[in-house]
């Protein structure tokens, strides 16, 4: 009987220790998360992408709908063109669509035209909008009205006359080189950020990475910098092996 009590006591202490270790480990790998937002490149839909199986589903190019992997169907989102600050409200049509991992979304030509998105640098931010927020209450009617108009109007139905044909050409200025980096995640503990750096070293072929201290309780792991989109895309694709579902692309002007 005495040995049985000792045996059960040992088992109890062992289980308690395991639980504590799990809890401590959970604290160590905590990633700082707010309401969903993501900065990155978007893919502007056309039927050729579907026919060539780059995108696995069709989308109505007259609509204000997008494909996104991380948000539920019918989620309200704000899309911002980060190069000119223009934004609009749209909805997620599906999160079960295959498209290249480098892109954070697939958008319609209607959205692309409204936001004046550059096909050479389609850099946008997607933000999930809380249905209870005043922003959505103010904008939701606008979304419905725009959607109704969009469904009736052809995509290229508006023609703008060029009033500047006879004006002399302006002098071109030197284009500033753009630098990008990839944000892997923000961590509460510096030790957790360093552990992620070790994973990047051991599990990928990426050789540009560092930890940036944003505050005493916020440590950011980034990849880069990259001066061209090809090397950016290559490293982004390699980083997907880390299984982080919200890799972000940051533009350093």
């Amino acid at each position: 009987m005495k040995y049985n009590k000792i045996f059960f006591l040992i088992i109890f202490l062992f289980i308690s220790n395991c639980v504590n270790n799990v809890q401590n480990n959970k604290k160590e790998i905590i990633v700082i998360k707010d309401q969903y937002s993501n900065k990155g490149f978007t893919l502007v839909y056309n039927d050729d992408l579907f026919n060539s199986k780059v995108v696995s589903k069709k989308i109505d190019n007259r609509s204000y709908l997008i494909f996104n992997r991380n948000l539920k169907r019918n989620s309200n989102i704000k899309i911002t063109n980060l190069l000119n600050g223009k934004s609009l409200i749209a909805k997620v049509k599906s999160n079960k669509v295959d498209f290249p991992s480098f892109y954070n979304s697939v958008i319609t030509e209607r959205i692309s035209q409204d936001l004046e998105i550059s096909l050479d640098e389609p850099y946008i931010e997607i933000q999930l909008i809380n249905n209870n927020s005043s922003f959505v209450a103010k904008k939701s009617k606008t979304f419905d009205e725009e959607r109704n108009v969009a469904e009736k109007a052809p995509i290229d139905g508006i023609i703008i006359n060029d009033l500047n044909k006879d004006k002399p050409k302006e002098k071109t200025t030197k284009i500033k080189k753009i630098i990008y980096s990839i944000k892997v995640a923000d961590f509460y503990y510096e030790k957790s950020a360093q552990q992620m750096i070790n994973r990047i070293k051991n599990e990928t072929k990426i050789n540009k990475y560092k930890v940036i201290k944003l505050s005493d309780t916020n440590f950011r792991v980034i990849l880069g910098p990259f001066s061209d989109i090809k090397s950016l895309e290559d490293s982004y694709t390699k980083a997907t092996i880390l299984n982080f579902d919200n890799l972000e692309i940051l533009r350093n002007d």
Side-chain angles (χ1 to χ4, degrees):
M1 189 71 178
K2 180 179 179 181
Y3 291 111
N4 286 340
K5 288 182 178 180
I6 294 174
F7 174 76
F8 284 117
L9 178 60
I10 291 172
I11 294 297
F12 174 77
L13 292 174
F14 175 76
I15 293 174
S16 298
N17 185 55
C18 289
V19 170
N20 288 333
N21 286 337
V22 169
Q23 290 174 340
N24 289 334
N25 287 335
K26 283 182 178 179
K27 289 181 181 178
E28 280 300 310
I29 60 173
I30 284 177
V31 178
I32 298 173
K33 289 187 178 181
D34 298 313
Q35 184 162 288
Y36 179 86
S37 68
N38 185 278
K39 294 178 181 178
F41 288 98
T42 188
L43 185 62
V44 180
Y45 178 83
N46 62 63
D47 284 338
D48 288 340
L49 294 175
F50 174 76
N51 294 333
S52 59
K53 299 183 179 180
V54 174
V55 178
S56 63
K57 290 184 180 180
K58 285 188 173 184
I59 193 169
D60 183 356
N61 251 337
R62 299 169 298 174
S63 70
Y64 288 88
L65 299 172
I66 76 163
F67 295 141
N68 177 277
R69 299 182 191 88
N70 300 312
L71 297 175
K72 293 180 180 179
R73 177 182 171 87
N74 291 329
S75 295
N76 289 313
I77 55 164
K78 177 183 177 183
I79 304 176
T80 302
N81 180 348
L82 293 173
L83 301 188
N84 62 18
K86 291 188 175 185
S87 62
L88 56 74
I89 301 301
K91 283 188 177 181
V92 176
K93 179 176 175 63
S94 176
N95 59 6
K96 297 179 180 179
V97 179
D98 294 326
F99 56 91
S101 61
F102 179 63
Y103 300 99
N104 66 3
S105 59
V106 177
I107 65 171
T108 62
E109 288 184 8
R110 175 71 64 181
I111 294 173
S112 174
Q113 290 180 0
D114 281 6
L115 297 183
E116 297 180 3
I117 289 174
S118 166
L119 296 182
D120 293 326
E121 194 178 2
Y123 186 51
I124 67 166
E125 180 176 25
I126 295 174
Q127 295 171 290
L128 176 63
I129 302 300
N130 188 333
N131 287 330
N132 296 322
S133 70
S134 58
F135 185 82
V136 169
K138 182 178 178 182
K139 294 291 186 179
S140 59
K141 184 177 180 181
T142 302
F143 170 81
D144 291 336
E145 290 173 351
E146 288 177 342
R147 182 183 60 188
N148 290 334
V149 172
E151 289 173 351
K152 296 176 183 178
I155 292 173
D156 55 354
I158 299 173
I159 299 175
I160 300 175
N161 291 326
D162 185 3
L163 302 178
N164 298 316
K165 284 183 178 179
D166 299 327
K167 291 185 178 181
K169 293 182 179 180
E170 296 181 0
K171 292 182 179 179
T172 56
T173 55
K174 189 176 180 181
I175 298 174
K176 185 179 179 182
K177 199 170 188 180
I178 304 301
I179 303 297
Y180 284 98
S181 58
I182 301 169
K183 176 185 143 186
V184 177
D186 289 341
F187 295 87
Y188 189 86
Y189 297 104
E190 184 175 12
K191 180 180 178 182
S192 299
Q194 291 297 340
Q195 288 174 345
M196 176 52 64
I197 291 292
N198 290 336
R199 279 194 62 196
I200 293 169
K201 290 179 182 177
N202 297 331
E203 299 178 26
T204 75
K205 295 181 180 180
I206 299 169
N207 52 25
K208 291 183 178 181
Y209 42 75
K210 63 180 176 179
V211 176
I212 298 176
K213 181 179 179 181
L214 301 178
S215 71
D216 289 339
T217 56
N218 193 349
F219 299 88
R220 176 169 293 175
V221 175
I222 68 166
L223 309 178
F226 306 98
S227 58
D228 64 278
I229 293 179
K230 181 67 179 70
S231 59
L232 171 69
E233 183 176 1
D234 182 61
S235 292
Y236 189 100
T237 302
K238 290 176 181 176
T240 56
I241 196 174
L242 299 172
N243 292 322
F244 272 79
D245 58 2
N246 198 26
L247 295 173
E248 281 195 273
I249 296 173
L250 306 180
R251 189 177 191 262
N252 309 312
D253 295 329

